[in-house]
Amino acid sequence: MLRDRVRRKALLDKVVSAEEAASLVKNGSRLGMSGFTRAGEAKVVPPALVERAKNDGLKIELFTGASLGNDMDGKMAAAHLLTRRSPFQADPVMRKAINNGEIMFVDQHLSLTAESMRAGQIRKVDTAVIEACAITEEGYIVPTSSVGNSATFALDADQIIVELNLAHTDQLEGMHDVYIPEKRPNRTPIQVSHTMDRIGVPYFAVDPSKISAIVETNIPDSPANNLPPDDDTAQIAGHLLDFLKNEVKQGRLTNALRPLQCGIGTIANAVLSGFQDSPFHDLEMFSEVLQDSTFELFDSGKLLRASTTSFSLSAATNDRVMSSLADFKDKIILRPQEISNNPEISRRLGLICINTALEFDIYGNVNSTHVGGTHMMNGIGGSGDFARSGQMSIFVTKSIAKDGKVSSIVPMVAHVDHSEHDVAIVATEIGLADLRGLAPRERAPLIIKNCVHPLYRDLLTDYYERAVKRGGHTPHVLEEALSWHVNLASKGTMLL
């Protein structure tokens, strides 16, 4: 019952319908909304805002933690509700609106949005719409299955609309560790030295007078739509596991490794799942998302504990985990994303970071975001937060796409998200290239030999050999460097 979850009884007077709550949002507002990788987003106020957009032309700027569930981004884009979106999305309808210039998308490192608002580099939000599983006696907000940027939005906004979602178990209360870094200058260190260090409080300590509306909901999070592991992802996992076994053999790691960070998506999830059949044990995670593979590792006894900002689970795994959440209360912490993704902590803990590339080039530059160098896919997400600051930065992808019409390894990436300075290891189903300590002229032959699909290996070898004849620290045939992308755009294939 809602009355049981709202423990500050004076706030029960604020209970209204979704339509009444949406009417409080002014045209041109900057909205901060909870939600991260389809978990913990507001679920009934956004559709009410969509109806306002259809009826009276409402326009807003939207900031979240990451992508939203229940097709919310797509519905808002289709209704032309948004003029600006940041810092991440993963919806095909919104993607189209971004790429045709209708929505100004600010693709931002996920650790930086709240930090930029705190520093006044971007304006704070006017209104926060936050999903909660409870409101405490003090009027503080207990979030649900993600934290994301919600704490900063709620603390900074002029007004807060709370969606009290009874579909979420009240066992979530107590799992969150909400810490807000001090303002600069003279900020003190973030006191996280171990994965499970608690440094904050389990709620958003807002001024309850800012809560202008409470809306009751009973709608579950959207399930993650990752595909199961396949032969290619199994081979990628195998190459990575062999590499880590050798790191242990060389004395650089133990079988407990270092805390793992793994990006979202099918490939990364499948690769992490491969750790079940490995000699590694007593593992820990310090990541931005916990996927199905995380709980497979918990079940196998390989994983001991995990820190995150969000869940991203299939329907079956979500039902199983949430029904037994009490069993995980001493194993999982949910933090704000500026803490889960914080470079200071990543560097201190020495994370092993596994993220997915759209493509990489023969020198190890990685494109995570732009198809053909121009069209936004989803966004950089947290990969940049971890790639530069972790102990080991690994990028994985399948070697080809579109039935071989696309090579994921190219002469030069058409857009750079992670330069070769931040990339230590690249792997495909073909093999793995350890780039640590190598100059560009040493990297290229290794990547071509170990990672490139046979369809494209001779072509890249020929390109590189001709580039070397021209000289340079990083040899290129500049008039051909992007020709593969040009061929794909004009002829539908890189393979000519």
Side-chain angles (χ1 to χ4, degrees):
M1 292 288 293
L2 180 137
R3 297 185 66 87
D4 298 327
R5 300 280 191 102
V6 181
R7 301 200 294 269
R8 189 176 180 93
K9 299 308 177 187
L11 288 175
L12 290 171
D13 294 338
K14 300 290 186 178
V15 176
V16 298
S17 68
E19 291 71 24
E20 290 173 291
S23 71
L24 301 174
V25 176
K26 296 179 180 178
N27 192 48
S29 288
R30 292 167 64 85
L31 221 67
M33 191 179 296
S34 63
F36 194 108
T37 56
R38 299 165 65 85
E41 84 282 354
K43 296 177 174 65
V44 295
V45 172
L49 294 172
V50 165
E51 289 306 309
R52 281 194 58 192
K54 293 176 180 178
N55 295 329
D56 60 25
L58 177 69
K59 300 287 186 183
I60 63 170
E61 300 180 18
L62 180 65
F63 301 82
T64 63
S67 54
L68 303 178
N70 290 286
D71 299 322
M72 210 64 71
D73 271 321
K75 291 173 183 176
M76 289 187 285
H80 310 290
L81 171 65
L82 306 183
T83 59
R84 184 176 300 274
R85 179 75 170 89
S86 188
F88 187 86
Q89 59 78 45
D91 182 272
V93 179
M94 178 165 286
R95 188 178 302 136
K96 183 177 180 180
I98 290 169
N99 287 319
N100 68 24
E102 176 186 346
I103 296 174
M104 296 296 103
F105 179 57
V106 181
D107 181 23
Q108 192 171 36
H109 296 297
L110 296 187
S111 67
L112 288 182
T113 304
E115 188 75 90
S116 298
M117 289 182 176
R118 184 176 302 112
Q121 295 170 331
I122 57 176
R123 289 192 293 116
K124 69 176 186 177
V125 299
D126 311 306
T127 300
V129 183
I130 307 295
E131 184 179 78
C133 66
I135 297 176
T136 71
E137 291 81 358
E138 299 83 6
Y140 299 159
I141 297 171
V142 180
T144 59
S145 50
S146 70
V147 181
N149 285 318
S150 303
T152 294
F153 295 157
L155 291 167
D156 286 354
D158 299 321
Q159 67 170 347
I160 304 169
I161 297 170
V162 177
E163 287 198 8
L164 206 297
N165 193 343
L166 302 180
H168 285 290
T169 173
D170 58 7
Q171 287 296 315
L172 281 164
E173 187 166 359
M175 296 191 75
H176 309 92
D177 185 57
V178 180
Y179 174 83
I180 304 296
E182 298 155 309
K183 289 186 177 181
R184 300 185 181 105
N186 305 318
R187 175 182 292 175
T188 57
I190 299 171
Q191 297 294 328
V192 175
S193 299
H194 303 88
T195 299
M196 297 299 285
D197 284 346
R198 285 186 172 271
I199 57 175
V201 293
Y203 44 70
F204 305 159
V206 301
D207 178 354
S209 68
K210 294 202 305 182
I211 298 177
S212 57
I214 299 173
V215 182
E216 179 179 347
T217 70
N218 201 330
I219 302 172
D221 286 335
S222 295
N225 51 14
N226 290 336
L227 299 173
D230 58 25
D231 289 343
D232 286 344
T233 56
Q235 290 180 50
I236 295 171
H239 298 316
L240 182 55
L241 292 172
D242 287 343
F243 165 77
L244 292 172
K245 290 174 191 175
N246 188 60
E247 290 294 288
V248 173
K249 182 179 179 180
Q250 298 300 320
R252 290 188 284 265
L253 293 172
T254 70
N255 276 323
L257 302 180
R258 294 282 187 273
L260 301 171
Q261 177 269 325
C262 193
I264 63 170
T266 295
I267 296 178
N269 182 62
V271 168
L272 192 63
S273 181
F275 277 75
Q276 295 175 82
D277 300 316
S278 77
F280 307 120
H281 54 78
D282 296 337
L283 299 174
E284 299 185 357
M285 288 189 69
F286 196 94
S287 194
E288 62 184 4
V289 175
L290 303 187
Q291 302 183 89
D292 285 13
S293 54
T294 305
F295 292 93
E296 293 171 2
L297 293 176
F298 272 130
D299 292 342
S300 69
K302 295 286 187 180
L303 183 66
L304 298 182
R305 54 191 71 92
S307 171
T308 188
T309 195
S310 179
F311 296 109
S312 182
L313 305 175
S314 67
T317 300
N318 184 76
D319 290 345
R320 179 173 64 83
V321 169
M322 293 303 163
S323 64
S324 58
L325 201 60
D327 297 338
F328 293 99
K329 279 207 165 182
D330 62 343
K331 300 177 182 178
I332 294 174
I333 290 179
L334 289 159
R335 308 181 189 272
Q337 68 194 65
E338 62 176 318
I339 303 300
S340 68
N341 293 38
N342 193 280
E344 174 191 339
I345 301 172
S346 297
R347 182 66 59 88
R348 182 180 299 129
L349 298 183
L351 303 185
I352 296 174
C353 306
I354 306 168
N355 290 287
T356 304
L358 282 180
E359 64 179 6
F360 57 87
D361 66 25
I362 58 175
Y363 297 111
N365 299 288
V366 171
N367 173 15
S368 296
T369 59
H370 284 70
V371 176
T374 58
H375 282 59
M376 173 58 62
M377 189 67 176
N378 298 329
I380 195 170
S383 57
D385 294 324
F386 297 106
R388 179 164 291 185
S389 57
Q391 176 172 322
M392 192 181 296
S393 177
I394 302 166
F395 282 90
V396 297
T397 186
K398 296 184 179 183
S399 65
I400 55 173
K402 305 294 184 184
D403 297 320
K405 294 177 180 177
V406 176
S407 174
S408 299
I409 301 91
V410 294
M412 178 186 285
V413 289
H415 176 90
V416 180
D417 290 296
H418 314 282
S419 78
E420 76 275 15
H421 307 294
D422 301 331
V423 180
I425 315 292
V426 290
T428 69
E429 79 283 4
I430 304 300
L432 178 146
D434 181 356
L435 308 178
R436 295 174 298 179
L438 300 184
R441 288 179 181 235
E442 296 170 309
R443 287 176 164 225
L446 188 65
I447 288 174
I448 293 169
K449 175 184 175 182
N450 289 5
C451 300
V452 176
H453 194 279
L455 283 171
Y456 290 91
R457 192 175 295 142
D458 288 346
L459 290 171
L460 274 177
T461 300
D462 174 69
Y463 174 87
Y464 176 67
E465 290 175 349
R466 288 187 291 112
V468 168
K469 291 179 181 178
R470 295 193 176 190
H473 174 65
T474 306
H476 271 298
V477 182
L478 286 179
E479 65 271 24
E480 296 181 24
L482 296 177
S483 62
W484 291 25
H485 299 88
V486 174
N487 290 338
L488 180 63
S490 61
K491 300 180 174 63
T493 180
M494 291 181 176
L495 190 62
L496 294 176

